[in-house]
Amino acid sequence: RPRAAVQPPSNLTFNMVVQAITTLAEFDEKIAAASLTVVDFYADWCGPCKVIAPKVEALSGEETDVAFLKVNVDNVEEVAAKCAISAMPTFKLFKAGKEVGELVGANIDKLKELVTKNK
């Protein structure tokens, strides 16, 4: 028999968007924005990356004036190489194309601090 549709709780925010980057040109275009851009460099096989991903999604819903991007280091190697990524997850923060912050590791509290400091 058909299943009933499950309605999400009304308090959920639906503006949570972490955009996946697939090319170097797209990456360069997005980080050139004047406002803060947070880039999550991750890998599918990285356990800590999987643990922090939903927390980063939630943060993107709270920080609506900040752009959140994610780069799969195995699929978009030229971006990972350009940014000298050697560990996952690595978060880099950019404003107007310039790097303004970096966090290596899955620490959502430190990431929140960096976002607040650099907005």
Side-chain angles (χ1 to χ4, degrees):
R1 57 183 190 189
R3 292 182 162 194
V6 176
Q7 292 297 315
S10 59
N11 64 345
L12 281 184
T13 307
F14 288 101
N15 62 344
M16 296 188 291
V17 178
V18 178
Q19 182 182 354
I21 296 299
T22 57
T23 67
L24 180 58
E26 182 182 27
F27 174 79
D28 287 339
E29 175 190 331
K30 297 291 182 186
I31 67 165
S35 57
L36 184 64
T37 302
V38 177
V39 185
D40 174 5
F41 292 90
Y42 74 100
D44 290 334
W45 48 263
C46 165
C49 298
K50 292 177 185 173
V51 171
I52 200 168
K55 296 173 183 174
V56 175
E57 284 281 345
L59 183 60
S60 75
E62 295 165 18
E63 299 288 352
T64 55
D65 54 342
V66 177
F68 285 80
L69 310 176
K70 60 184 177 181
V71 175
N72 184 322
V73 298
D74 293 323
N75 295 347
V76 197
E77 292 176 12
E78 55 189 352
V79 174
K82 177 179 181 172
C83 294
I85 303 302
S86 60
M88 278 70 68
T90 293
F91 297 90
K92 286 192 179 266
L93 288 72
F94 295 90
K95 259 188 172 172
K98 301 221 181 324
E99 184 178 325
V100 295
E102 179 184 56
L103 170 66
V104 178
N107 186 327
I108 194 67
D109 293 328
K110 284 232 165 56
L111 182 60
K112 286 179 181 178
E113 285 174 25
L114 271 177
V115 168
T116 301
K117 179 180 150 190
N118 289 290
K119 274 203 285 189

